Amino acid sequence: MNAKLLTVNVGRAFAAPYTSAEGGTGIDKRPTDGPVAVAAPGPKGTGGSGLAGDAVVDLRHHGGDDQAVYAYAREDLDDWQRQLDRELANGAFGENLTTTGLEVTDARIGERWRVGADVLLEVTSPRIPCRTFQGWLDERGWIKRFTEAAVPGAYLRVLEAGEIRAGDTVRVEHRPEHDITIALMFHALTTRRALLPRLLEAGEPLPAEARAAVVKYLERTAN
């Protein structure tokens, strides 16, 4: 099956009792009808989403170049539908890209995806669940359950800007030789900290925040 975008999802900010961020949250992503411009938003702390019209409210913890776009596989949403016994529409996990036919959790850090004709994205890191995500889904113990499942979806940076839309093909243009996948990185950052040093094998594409986590771990374990 050819990999493609089922939907491109963006969200507007809204007030919510489960987030402390001033201005609420933009986690409620909805499919768009037409093309959406995609570009690098700028550094974390100032840059938000890589998609035009998509709100990222908590710039301290979300958004920026290394988290410009969030992708989640429809196949994984379908698995969650069965487990939770509830419908999960495209965008339900706050993802910008709902994909099909694409290995998202097994994608390698630094893997590059050509989306449509113009946009080139690079896999950077997994999504780490937070209180806002749990509040949005309204599932008790969701952070723990999502963490145990270790199917987090992938953040991507924008290497080449352009427009994307539902139905666009997704082609893996480059797959690094290392085996540092989204799944392995997620385990390293959450439940299996001893894996952290391995993240350095991903090389330059590894985000600065993850690199800092490795350095901190090495310093602590050396003492």
Side-chain angles (χ1 to χ4, degrees):
M1 181 172 59
N2 292 330
K4 67 178 182 178
L5 301 183
L6 288 179
T7 54
V8 178
N9 315 304
V10 301
R12 296 181 178 180
F14 67 99
Y18 44 77
T19 179
S20 59
E22 184 176 350
T25 175
I27 197 171
D28 183 9
K29 309 296 186 192
R30 307 289 180 93
T32 59
D33 294 327
V36 178
V38 180
K44 195 168 188 177
T46 58
S49 174
L51 278 69
D54 182 46
V56 173
V57 178
D58 185 358
L59 298 180
R60 179 183 175 188
H61 297 105
H62 301 288
D65 288 336
D66 290 338
Q67 297 180 359
V69 181
Y70 176 49
Y72 206 83
R74 182 63 245 183
E75 293 85 351
D76 294 331
L77 281 175
D78 289 342
D79 286 342
W80 281 116
Q81 276 195 161
R82 289 187 285 271
Q83 292 181 47
L84 299 176
D85 193 26
R86 57 183 280 193
E87 182 178 355
L88 295 171
N90 292 347
F93 276 17
E95 78 273 13
N96 299 117
L97 311 180
T98 308
T99 68
T100 186
L102 187 66
E103 293 292 345
V104 177
T105 299
D106 289 333
R108 297 177 183 178
I109 307 307
E111 186 170 305
R112 294 180 178 181
W113 300 350
R114 176 68 64 181
V115 184
D118 301 325
V119 173
L120 185 64
L121 305 176
E122 184 175 70
V123 176
T124 63
S125 57
R127 187 247 197 92
I128 306 299
C130 63
R131 187 164 62 94
T132 297
F133 189 23
Q134 177 165 294
W136 164 243
L137 282 187
D138 194 23
E139 290 284 346
R140 186 174 181 180
W142 177 245
I143 292 175
K144 180 180 180 181
R145 188 168 184 178
F146 188 82
T147 300
E148 289 176 344
V151 185
Y155 282 119
L156 306 106
R157 61 171 64 96
V158 182
L159 299 184
E160 296 179 12
E163 289 186 341
I164 59 176
R165 68 185 72 207
D168 276 351
T169 58
V170 182
R171 180 165 55 91
V172 178
E173 278 202 350
H174 170 69
R175 187 166 170 82
E177 293 184 1
H178 65 72
D179 61 355
I180 308 305
T181 63
I182 284 293
L184 187 148
M185 186 172 177
F186 182 78
H187 285 302
L189 293 172
T190 55
T191 59
R192 299 173 61 188
R193 306 288 285 181
L195 290 173
L196 278 169
R198 289 203 57 200
L199 300 186
L200 298 179
E201 297 172 25
E204 186 177 351
L206 186 70
E209 286 189 2
R211 197 175 298 275
V214 174
V215 171
K216 185 176 180 180
Y217 173 82
L218 292 173
E219 290 175 345
R220 185 171 64 250
T221 53
N223 296 328

PDB file of all heavy atoms in Angstrom, residues 39-48 63-66:
ATOM      1  N   ALA A  39       6.191  25.322   6.784  1.00  0.00           N
ATOM      2  CA  ALA A  39       7.510  25.963   6.815  1.00  0.00           C
ATOM      3  C   ALA A  39       8.086  25.826   8.213  1.00  0.00           C
ATOM      4  O   ALA A  39       7.356  25.619   9.186  1.00  0.00           O
ATOM      5  CB  ALA A  39       7.410  27.432   6.425  1.00  0.00           C
ATOM      6  N   ALA A  40       9.400  25.934   8.315  1.00  0.00           N
ATOM      7  CA  ALA A  40      10.046  25.900   9.625  1.00  0.00           C
ATOM      8  C   ALA A  40       9.580  27.093  10.444  1.00  0.00           C
ATOM      9  O   ALA A  40       9.659  28.236   9.985  1.00  0.00           O
ATOM     10  CB  ALA A  40      11.557  25.923   9.461  1.00  0.00           C
ATOM     11  N   PRO A  41       9.094  26.874  11.685  1.00  0.00           N
ATOM     12  CA  PRO A  41       8.502  27.964  12.468  1.00  0.00           C
ATOM     13  C   PRO A  41       9.497  28.798  13.252  1.00  0.00           C
ATOM     14  O   PRO A  41       9.148  29.862  13.760  1.00  0.00           O
ATOM     15  CB  PRO A  41       7.569  27.229  13.426  1.00  0.00           C
ATOM     16  CG  PRO A  41       8.234  25.904  13.639  1.00  0.00           C
ATOM     17  CD  PRO A  41       8.876  25.562  12.322  1.00  0.00           C
ATOM     18  N   GLY A  42      10.734  28.320  13.417  1.00  0.00           N
ATOM     19  CA  GLY A  42      11.707  29.024  14.250  1.00  0.00           C
ATOM     20  C   GLY A  42      11.994  28.248  15.518  1.00  0.00           C
ATOM     21  O   GLY A  42      11.374  27.221  15.796  1.00  0.00           O
ATOM     22  N   PRO A  43      12.938  28.728  16.307  1.00  0.00           N
ATOM     23  CA  PRO A  43      13.379  27.990  17.498  1.00  0.00           C
ATOM     24  C   PRO A  43      12.265  27.809  18.529  1.00  0.00           C
ATOM     25  O   PRO A  43      11.334  28.616  18.609  1.00  0.00           O
ATOM     26  CB  PRO A  43      14.500  28.866  18.075  1.00  0.00           C
ATOM     27  CG  PRO A  43      14.913  29.758  16.951  1.00  0.00           C
ATOM     28  CD  PRO A  43      13.696  29.969  16.116  1.00  0.00           C
ATOM     29  N   LYS A  44      12.384  26.745  19.305  1.00  0.00           N
ATOM     30  CA  LYS A  44      11.438  26.510  20.393  1.00  0.00           C
ATOM     31  C   LYS A  44      11.487  27.671  21.373  1.00  0.00           C
ATOM     32  O   LYS A  44      12.559  28.195  21.685  1.00  0.00           O
ATOM     33  CB  LYS A  44      11.780  25.210  21.115  1.00  0.00           C
ATOM     34  CG  LYS A  44      10.674  24.693  22.021  1.00  0.00           C
ATOM     35  CD  LYS A  44      10.982  23.279  22.462  1.00  0.00           C
ATOM     36  CE  LYS A  44       9.804  22.662  23.204  1.00  0.00           C
ATOM     37  NZ  LYS A  44      10.070  21.263  23.578  1.00  0.00           N
ATOM     38  N   GLY A  45      10.326  28.076  21.833  1.00  0.00           N
ATOM     39  CA  GLY A  45      10.233  29.234  22.713  1.00  0.00           C
ATOM     40  C   GLY A  45       9.682  30.442  22.006  1.00  0.00           C
ATOM     41  O   GLY A  45       9.066  31.312  22.620  1.00  0.00           O
ATOM     42  N   THR A  46       9.900  30.492  20.701  1.00  0.00           N
ATOM     43  CA  THR A  46       9.351  31.579  19.881  1.00  0.00           C
ATOM     44  C   THR A  46       8.549  31.036  18.714  1.00  0.00           C
ATOM     45  O   THR A  46       7.535  31.610  18.336  1.00  0.00           O
ATOM     46  CB  THR A  46      10.467  32.505  19.359  1.00  0.00           C
ATOM     47  OG1 THR A  46      11.406  31.728  18.603  1.00  0.00           O
ATOM     48  CG2 THR A  46      11.190  33.194  20.510  1.00  0.00           C
ATOM     49  N   GLY A  47       9.012  29.914  18.125  1.00  0.00           N
ATOM     50  CA  GLY A  47       8.308  29.324  16.995  1.00  0.00           C
ATOM     51  C   GLY A  47       7.242  28.355  17.445  1.00  0.00           C
ATOM     52  O   GLY A  47       7.425  27.614  18.420  1.00  0.00           O
ATOM     53  N   GLY A  48       6.125  28.349  16.735  1.00  0.00           N
ATOM     54  CA  GLY A  48       5.026  27.458  17.078  1.00  0.00           C
ATOM     55  C   GLY A  48       4.951  26.272  16.149  1.00  0.00           C
ATOM     56  O   GLY A  48       5.880  25.477  16.064  1.00  0.00           O
ATOM     57  N   GLY A  63       6.126  22.883  20.008  1.00  0.00           N
ATOM     58  CA  GLY A  63       6.420  23.666  18.820  1.00  0.00           C
ATOM     59  C   GLY A  63       7.902  23.921  18.623  1.00  0.00           C
ATOM     60  O   GLY A  63       8.758  23.342  19.296  1.00  0.00           O
ATOM     61  N   GLY A  64       8.204  24.791  17.693  1.00  0.00           N
ATOM     62  CA  GLY A  64       9.584  25.073  17.336  1.00  0.00           C
ATOM     63  C   GLY A  64      10.062  24.156  16.221  1.00  0.00           C
ATOM     64  O   GLY A  64       9.376  23.215  15.815  1.00  0.00           O
ATOM     65  N   ASP A  65      11.246  24.432  15.719  1.00  0.00           N
ATOM     66  CA  ASP A  65      11.737  23.721  14.541  1.00  0.00           C
ATOM     67  C   ASP A  65      11.782  22.207  14.691  1.00  0.00           C
ATOM     68  O   ASP A  65      11.476  21.475  13.748  1.00  0.00           O
ATOM     69  CB  ASP A  65      13.141  24.229  14.177  1.00  0.00           C
ATOM     70  CG  ASP A  65      13.115  25.635  13.574  1.00  0.00           C
ATOM     71  OD1 ASP A  65      12.066  26.024  13.027  1.00  0.00           O
ATOM     72  OD2 ASP A  65      14.140  26.325  13.661  1.00  0.00           O
ATOM     73  N   ASP A  66      12.163  21.715  15.877  1.00  0.00           N
ATOM     74  CA  ASP A  66      12.293  20.270  16.069  1.00  0.00           C
ATOM     75  C   ASP A  66      10.971  19.572  16.325  1.00  0.00           C
ATOM     76  O   ASP A  66      10.896  18.335  16.305  1.00  0.00           O
ATOM     77  CB  ASP A  66      13.262  19.963  17.217  1.00  0.00           C
ATOM     78  CG  ASP A  66      14.699  20.305  16.869  1.00  0.00           C
ATOM     79  OD1 ASP A  66      15.022  20.369  15.663  1.00  0.00           O
ATOM     80  OD2 ASP A  66      15.505  20.518  17.801  1.00  0.00           O
TER      81      ASP A  66
END
